[in-house]
Amino acid sequence: MRGAKSAKWVAIAGVVALTATACGGGSDSGGNSGKVDPKGIVSYANGEPQNALQPANTMEAYGSVVINSLFTGLVNYDKQGNITYENAESVTPDKSNKVWTVKLKPGWKFHNGEAVTAKSYVDAWNWSADPANGQQNSAWYRDIVGYDKVHPEKGKGTGKTMSGLKVVDDNTFTITLNTGIPYYAYKLVYSPFYPLPSGALKDPKKFGEAPVGNGPYKFKSWDHKKSIQVTAWPQYKGANKPKNGGVNFKAYTTPQAAYNDLRSDNVDTMPIIPDSELANFKQDFGDRAIEQDFSAINTVNPAFYSKTFKDMDVKVIQGLSMAIDRDTIAKQTFAGTRESASGWVAKGVKGYKAGACGEFCKFNPKKAKQFVKDGGGVPGNKITIQYNADQPHEGWVTAVCNSITKSTGVKCTGDPKTDFQADTEVRDKKQVKAMYRSGWVLDYPFNGNFLADLYGTGVDGNKGGFSDKKFDELTKKADAAKTIDESAALYQKAEKELVNTFPGIPLWYNKTLSAYSKNVKGVEFDQAGDPVLTDIEVFEK
């Protein structure tokens, strides 16, 4: 669910608004005013990644922020949403948007000196698509001809390579899709489309513990549940060369511990301020506090395979949604730093349109209770919301549960898991008892990323087991549109359809709320909520 590295497809007005609301992001005035040490190490408050560090097997924030520091893909996108070419010289579709020709910039190498070629991409994608290799992002190749032979929905595959991938020469390959997709180049931003060196396929276990990338930073060490360290790579060919000597991703088990370290200048920045400090952090950090929009949305999603939600009438879920007083919780729990969501797509991406959820995302306790009753109620009259306890979720989960219980009489409690790794493992094993906290950050700035990639039948991001043929047909039509604008409009119709099935209950649009220490300057976060690590400068000590 992560992958983007810099602010992207935001309308100009949105960019202006973002800048206007930013509180100190990137300002140099609040910290040390001494000389910059180009070899200085940035420390970032992170957590333990769920999986080994493989680009196609990372679907969570702790791992993706490390992966994105080590690898550079074919393309990215700028603040206006235009494609930028990184390792690719060009990515060009034919007239039908079905056959895409990729030309690489020559001379790029992996950190071990191996050349980055067309084969580095094609072999990596074929390997990652093979279910035998257990890569959780493998469905991202589903658009490519031959994916169903390598990775069928049921049974064993009949091939090891996707026929839609062809190496033309060292710096050129083609991608043939099952149907034309006008926005396909944007999908290539995401980490499953990164290249891999040959050694990664020969010994993936070793590679996952010490990955070799082609990005601005080179892997140094991984002390599990303590830190991952990377160093700036002098031979890097990309434009975003590091302005520091490396990054220490420090693993914290609680956001409060990270905040305390940030306040003491023992860590340089963190992804999100804990709820308990939201009312204080601007005072604590002054112009080193950061508040800015980014394209993410919070939901609570039913596990449709669970005893609680299996065969449940959608009226019950609609009722639970109307039972949540989003505005009051945003004000009291988040100190006014959240905006109530009115649909399933995050703000700031192409195709976003407010109001898709309609009345079902508005607080109406009387109607909520009636809908739950008319739908047959909740089995046992109780539900739980699973969340990871290493980030500040307990407060709002409790508030949501209290609102549901008060409005409908359905007993609701939180179901905490030790950390994000434990939380996601329960989801992957389909052992969620009733509902789970979900937060989705853009992989690419298009509304389809929050729809087909989250709620399509069988896709990797669909952890709740949701399936609806009508929704799948609508997204398929959207993908087959001739232009990006037509596709976005058709995806809006698909989003409207979700009010009839409710695969998740929209809660709030996110903001990046962070700060930085007196040790550094130039700290900014991108539209995906990730720190732009290469731009951070460290003061001499």
Side-chain angles (χ1 to χ4, degrees), residues 162-192:
M162 293 178 279
S163 57
L165 296 177
K166 301 288 186 187
V167 174
V168 178
D169 58 42
D170 277 355
N171 293 315
T172 309
F173 67 100
T174 58
I175 311 166
T176 301
L177 307 179
N178 293 305
T179 59
I181 300 177
Y183 62 90
Y184 190 71
Y186 285 94
K187 288 196 175 191
L188 299 178
V189 170
Y190 195 30
S191 59

Side-chain angles (χ1 to χ4, degrees), residues 32-42 232 242-246 519-521 534-541:
N32 192 312
S33 59
K35 291 179 64 178
V36 168
D37 178 4
K39 295 183 179 180
I41 302 298
V42 178
K243 297 178 180 177
N244 50 66
N519 303 324
V520 296
K521 68 174 184 178
T534 52
D535 282 352
I536 300 177
E537 295 179 280
V538 182
F539 292 113
E540 284 185 349
K541 291 183 179 177

Side-chain angles (χ1 to χ4, degrees), residues 335-351:
T337 59
R338 293 286 191 283
E339 179 182 350
S340 298
S342 64
W344 287 266
V345 174
K347 298 177 73 174
V349 301
K350 181 75 172 178

Side-chain angles (χ1 to χ4, degrees), residues 234-431:
Q235 289 78 40
Y236 179 57
K237 292 284 188 179
N240 56 326
K241 292 178 172 55
K243 297 178 180 177
N244 50 66
V247 183
N248 180 7
F249 298 93
K250 300 174 71 172
Y252 287 86
T253 55
T254 69
Q256 188 62 52
Y259 186 85
N260 293 342
D261 266 5
L262 180 59
R263 197 161 46 186
S264 304
D265 296 321
N266 291 322
V267 70
D268 291 327
T269 188
M270 64 186 299
I272 186 170
I273 300 294
D275 292 350
S276 58
E277 303 291 348
L278 287 177
N280 309 317
F281 83 103
K282 292 181 182 176
Q283 183 175 350
D284 286 348
F285 290 94
D287 63 359
R288 289 182 289 114
I290 296 172
E291 178 180 350
Q292 65 181 66
D293 294 329
F294 79 109
S295 294
I297 187 170
N298 289 125
T299 63
V300 286
N301 292 1
F304 289 98
Y305 54 79
S306 67
K307 291 181 180 177
T308 303
F309 282 93
K310 190 175 183 180
D311 301 323
M312 179 178 279
D313 191 308
V314 69
K315 275 193 171 183
V316 176
I317 308 175
Q318 292 167 336
L320 294 174
S321 179
M322 289 188 286
I324 300 170
D325 188 353
R326 295 167 179 78
D327 290 343
T328 297
I329 296 172
K331 183 178 180 181
Q332 295 180 348
T333 304
F334 294 117
T337 59
R338 293 286 191 283
E339 179 182 350
S340 298
S342 64
W344 287 266
V345 174
K347 298 177 73 174
V349 301
K350 181 75 172 178
Y352 164 78
K353 188 175 183 179
C357 184
E359 64 171 329
F360 301 121
C361 282
K362 295 178 181 176
F363 181 52
N364 188 335
K366 184 177 180 180
K367 204 166 185 177
K369 189 172 185 177
Q370 189 63 47
F371 265 58
V372 171
K373 181 181 178 182
D374 291 349
V378 175
N381 201 39
K382 59 183 180 181
I383 58 174
T384 56
I385 299 176
Q386 178 178 306
Y387 65 93
N388 51 305
D390 60 338
Q391 287 293 324
H393 300 304
E394 181 181 4
W396 70 259
V397 168
T398 301
V400 165
C401 274
N402 289 344
S403 190
I404 287 174
T405 300
K406 186 177 180 181
S407 299
T408 67
V410 175
K411 185 179 180 182
C412 177
T413 56
D415 180 15
K417 302 302 174 190
T418 308
D419 52 28
F420 196 29
Q421 187 179 32
D423 177 37
T424 49
E425 284 179 1
V426 172
R427 297 189 214 177
D428 289 346
K429 293 177 180 177
K430 296 190 180 303
Q431 294 176 344

Side-chain angles (χ1 to χ4, degrees), residues 189-256:
V189 170
Y190 195 30
S191 59
F193 296 103
Y194 288 167
L196 291 176
S198 56
L201 313 185
K202 294 174 183 173
D203 192 345
K205 185 176 181 180
K206 179 181 178 182
F207 179 85
E209 289 295 310
V212 176
N214 67 331
Y217 293 100
K218 181 179 180 180
F219 177 84
K220 179 181 179 183
S221 64
W222 185 357
D223 190 358
H224 282 273
K225 298 192 175 181
K226 292 183 179 178
S227 76
I228 298 173
Q229 297 191 48
V230 300
T231 58
W233 188 46
Q235 289 78 40
Y236 179 57
K237 292 284 188 179
N240 56 326
K241 292 178 172 55
K243 297 178 180 177
N244 50 66
V247 183
N248 180 7
F249 298 93
K250 300 174 71 172
Y252 287 86
T253 55
T254 69
Q256 188 62 52

